[in-house]
């Protein structure tokens, strides 16, 4: 069945206040790590620290590492050096490295010396990789066997290491110098003759990535080839870790979040609920000011055409709908292209095809919208000329907006910039300026102003 | 290493024209299914059909099912009934059902009768589930063993079925009535004593879903619990299939695409490059007309305030920046909330907290933007009153926009509607009307108009 938290923070506090801690621990030990973390998340860091330590290993560290990283830091600060070090040792290598990276320097210096040397070296190695690289999300818990082993030998080796490995779906095969030479899905071991050597039965077309590769590229490879883990190698093709599918899923989700944030003209993704409102405001205000500056340019255009607008005030009435149609058509086109680039459905090489397509789409959509706008223009003043002005302006604005909305992300992509930075608000603001210029120039021509 | 297509469609055509088909087939047989599909994708359906059939089983069907579904349909239509039926039989059950669903009725009637009865029943069972349910994406290729088997017996059973199973990471344990009672990760089999029965060593806290469950919920569960496959059961808890992680990843990606599309005011996701521009235009035009209608309301507001605007024309100059600031602030807030709801970072239960937070965010962002706007107002006319009007209007509009942008998605979510339908363009258009009303009323008061 699907598990859902059935206790809430206040109930847990009550249970603890009543001295029924053992009862709570018994209950939590029956739960899965993600659920334990969900129960704990809203408690005080001090209380969480107490419960996590009381749960013991492996339940305590397993649940602890499912908490958000910033909360992990707060909880760790409530523990003694020894308890903190034991807890860190119980975590998965990649989660542990993430936490250490997030620790304030003095806290790291307090705890790290108490961690076993091997694990400390491992942390240092993982921290070597920049955020967003395969190396920064890989785990060092994997199964690598030498190519000369027989299936029987492989079985007994696996029997030795399997208990320590949370995720073990593929056996990676290495040569004497630890270079990656093949892969064997765990299930293949069952069907191979027991005296066959790994190098005889392994798949040699193993897909691997470098530790410095972009994790978004790694995620795309995992998706394309339906992989549940990808081996990571160094410059000498030596196996140094694997990226597992749970990290890949997180990458996809975070990537989509960042694309949407950029697209909504927001800087970067932070956890919403625990964030200080001042921080949330800072994320948004810079873009708002920049876009307001573009708005002033639109204002300057209106200023310049004051004579025309005041002589035919009906023109002013259509400013919002013309601006909105341009902004919306541009947003639609850029949404399709930005998302297509993100999923790999389209690529920069398709630019010419996209350009031709969007001219057609823009024109046909523009004509339909213009008919509506022109009709409204005629009904308002019973003036054919006003109807014609509004209609022509809408065709031109919508077509231009559609093509610009589609082309800008492609240009950004080609310049190796993030196409999602071409946000909806950005496109809409820029198009406001252009739309006003097109509209008022067409008005000047048709209405002889 | 990472594999990238190194041949292109025209080269393949040349190779075929030169009669070097065998060479091409030898090359393709060395590639992974995803790469073969990438090579074939841009060829004529007729040519693809020929190559897929020549590749034989399992390479042909494996590569074929990696093609986009609409292309699969076209390719299948180029084949004889017998070839088509053999190809379908070679596909994975879930991919096969997807293709059959996409086939025109007469084509399905032409081919299906030639498919083995068991596979036809399986197709019918999978097609029974509505699009977007766990049943519609599950596969029937999984390993289920009875709880009374010993580890040794399980091994020999696995040896029998493993070759047929592409993905085999977990063994699902069922009782005599085929009810799901537990799960054993494949790797656990290595560490258990060979005479232990499965029911003694299985994990009993197995997470499962119903065939009718929403696949987006299933994806969330897989992510939360780090699962690589989820068993699907019927109303009597009988195991009927599994959803594998590759389908989960696809669900996440498609979900993010749909959210972005809705958010960009576009109807539904279709493959961009092969789509007729007329279809692309139809996807967008309905929303544009609806939003234009909202724009007419903004126009009506301007119309009503004609006297005020013409007496102080400088007011008109600030219409674009006030509208843009409102639209942008609203888009930012709704982006954060919509994405937070999608990832589960926030929930409707947090509404009050969000409301309070966004009032604060809106006010502080509004004040900063208003200072910029007010300054510009003062510089333009050296009028304190105009500066005050613009400044106050911006504080009010940005605050209102921020709160509305945050609250609307929550309201939609509570009404069980898709919060992403509160698109950026929709929020921006609605806010245009409100912003104009606020701005011009403040102007009337301060400027005594």
């Amino acid at each position: 069945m699907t598990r859902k938290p059935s206790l809430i923070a206040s109930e847990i506090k009550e249970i603890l206040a009543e001295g029924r801690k053992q009862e709570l621990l018994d209950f939590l030990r029956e739960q899965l790590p993600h659920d334990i973390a969900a129960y704990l998340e809203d408690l005080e860091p001090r209380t969480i620290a107490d419960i996590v330590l009381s749960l013991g290993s492996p339940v305590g560290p397993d649940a602890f590492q499912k908490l958000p990283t910033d909360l992990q830091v707060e909880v760790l600060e409530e523990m003694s050096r020894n308890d903190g070090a034991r807890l860190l040792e119980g975590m998965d290598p990649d989660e542990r490295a993430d936490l250490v990276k997030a620790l304030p320097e003095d806290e790291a210096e307090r705890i790290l010396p108490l961690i076993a040397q091997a694990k400390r070296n491992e942390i240092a190695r993982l921290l070597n990789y920049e955020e967003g690289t395969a190396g920064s999300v890989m785990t060092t818990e994997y199964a690598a066997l030498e190519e000369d082993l027989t299936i029987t030998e492989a079985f007994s080796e696996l029997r030795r290491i399997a208990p320590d490995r949370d995720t073990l779906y593929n056996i990676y095969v290495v040569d004497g110098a630890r270079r990656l030479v093949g892969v064997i899905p765990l299930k293949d071991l069952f069907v191979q003759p027991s005296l066959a050597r790994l190098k005889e039965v392994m798949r040699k077309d193993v897909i691997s990535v470098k530790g410095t590769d972009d994790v978004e590229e790694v995620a795309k490879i995992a998706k394309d080839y339906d992989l549940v883990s990808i081996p990571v190698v160094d410059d000498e093709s030596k196996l140094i870790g694997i990226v597992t599918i749970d990290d890949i899923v997180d990458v996809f989700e975070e990537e989509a979040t960042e694309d949407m944030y950029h697209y909504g003209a927001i800087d970067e993704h932070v956890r919403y609920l625990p964030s200080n409102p001042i921080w949330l405001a800072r994320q948004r205000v810079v873009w708002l000011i920049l876009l307001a500056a573009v708005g002033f340019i639109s204002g300057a255009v209106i200023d310049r055409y004051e004579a025309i607008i005041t002589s035919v005030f009906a023109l002013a009435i259509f400013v919002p709908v013309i601006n909105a149609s341009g902004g919306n058509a541009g947003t639609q086109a850029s949404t399709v292209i930005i998302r297509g680039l993100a999923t790999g459905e389209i690529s920069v090489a398709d630019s010419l095809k996209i350009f031709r397509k969007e001219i057609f789409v823009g024109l046909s959509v523009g004509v339909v919208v213009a008919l509506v706008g022109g009709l409204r223009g005629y009904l308002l003043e019973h003036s054919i000329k006003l109807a014609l002005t509004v209609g022509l302006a809408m065709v031109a604005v919508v077509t231009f907006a559609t093509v610009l909305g589609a082309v800008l992300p492609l240009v950004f992509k080609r310049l190796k910039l993030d196409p999602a930075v071409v946000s909806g608000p950005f496109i809409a603001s820029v198009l406001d300026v252009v739309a006003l210029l097109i509209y008022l120039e067409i008005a000047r021509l048709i209405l002889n102003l």
Side-chain angles (χ1 to χ4, degrees), chain A residues 98 101 126-138 210-219 243 251 254 258:
Chain A
D98 285 346
K101 198 187 306 178
L126 291 176
L127 287 188
N128 242 337
Y129 290 95
E130 259 178 82
E131 190 107 13
T133 62
S136 75
V137 298
M138 73 185 180
K210 290 266 175 68
T212 48
D213 281 354
D214 184 344
V215 75
E216 297 191 4
E217 284 305 311
V218 177
V243 178
V251 168
E254 188 58 27
E258 291 206 336

Side-chain angles (χ1 to χ4, degrees), chain A residues 12 28 35-43 48 51-52 55 63 67:
Chain A
I12 293 184
L28 289 177
D35 294 323
I36 302 178
Y39 288 124
L40 298 182
E41 206 168 12
D42 292 327
L43 299 171
I48 302 179
I51 296 179
V52 164
L55 283 172
L67 294 169

Side-chain angles (χ1 to χ4, degrees), chain A residues 217-228:
Chain A
E217 284 305 311
V218 177
K220 216 166 253 171
I221 293 170
K223 179 181 143 57
D224 285 345
Y225 297 97
D226 293 340
L227 305 175
V228 293

Side-chain angles (χ1 to χ4, degrees), chain A residues 92-165:
Chain A
D92 291 339
D94 48 343
E95 305 286 348
R96 179 168 50 218
D98 285 346
L99 172 54
V100 170
K101 198 187 306 178
L103 285 179
E105 208 172 323
D106 56 334
E107 179 70 7
E109 279 168 13
R110 189 175 74 101
I111 292 180
L112 283 183
L114 296 187
I115 292 181
Q117 182 65 43
K119 293 200 169 153
R120 243 184 304 157
N121 293 345
E122 191 180 67
I123 292 172
R125 209 165 62 237
L126 291 176
L127 287 188
N128 242 337
Y129 290 95
E130 259 178 82
E131 190 107 13
T133 62
S136 75
V137 298
M138 73 185 180
T139 177
T140 46
E141 268 192 3
Y142 54 84
L145 299 181
E146 282 218 24
E147 57 182 348
D148 288 324
L149 293 187
T150 62
I151 295 288
T152 310
E153 288 167 335
F155 263 95
S156 67
E157 183 66 13
L158 282 178
R159 216 160 271 138
R160 198 176 60 75
I161 61 177
D164 285 345
R165 302 289 184 272

Side-chain angles (χ1 to χ4, degrees), chain A residues 144-283:
Chain A
L145 299 181
E146 282 218 24
E147 57 182 348
D148 288 324
L149 293 187
T150 62
I151 295 288
T152 310
E153 288 167 335
F155 263 95
S156 67
E157 183 66 13
L158 282 178
R159 216 160 271 138
R160 198 176 60 75
I161 61 177
D164 285 345
R165 302 289 184 272
D166 271 351
T167 51
L168 187 58
Y169 308 119
N170 292 299
I171 315 284
Y172 293 101
V173 185
V174 294
D175 65 11
R178 222 186 152 66
R179 279 187 299 256
L180 178 70
V181 292
V183 62
I184 306 181
L186 198 52
K187 64 119 180 160
D188 278 10
L189 288 185
F190 294 105
V191 293
Q192 300 296 348
S194 51
L195 288 179
R197 295 196 184 276
L198 295 187
K199 65 179 165 193
E200 295 155 9
V201 298
M202 69 187 184
R203 300 186 186 174
K204 293 194 181 89
D205 53 355
V206 54
I207 294 178
S208 65
V209 295
K210 290 266 175 68
T212 48
D213 281 354
D214 184 344
V215 75
E216 297 191 4
E217 284 305 311
V218 177
K220 216 166 253 171
I221 293 170
K223 179 181 143 57
D224 285 345
Y225 297 97
D226 293 340
L227 305 175
V228 293
S229 59
I230 302 189
V232 184
V233 297
D234 65 12
D235 286 334
E236 292 160 344
S237 298
K238 286 186 187 160
L239 186 62
I240 53 175
I242 62 170
V243 178
T244 51
I245 189 73
D246 53 321
D247 295 314
I248 299 287
V249 169
D250 291 343
V251 168
F252 272 114
E253 188 157 277
E254 188 58 27
E255 197 184 340
T257 299
E258 291 206 336
D259 279 359
M260 258 194 99
Y261 266 51
H262 289 164
Y263 201 62
I266 306 174
D267 257 3
E268 62 179 306
H269 177 224
V270 294
R271 283 211 310 144
Y272 181 81
L273 290 176
S275 291
N276 190 310
I278 283 287
W279 174 253
L280 295 173
R282 268 171 47 191
Q283 270 192 304

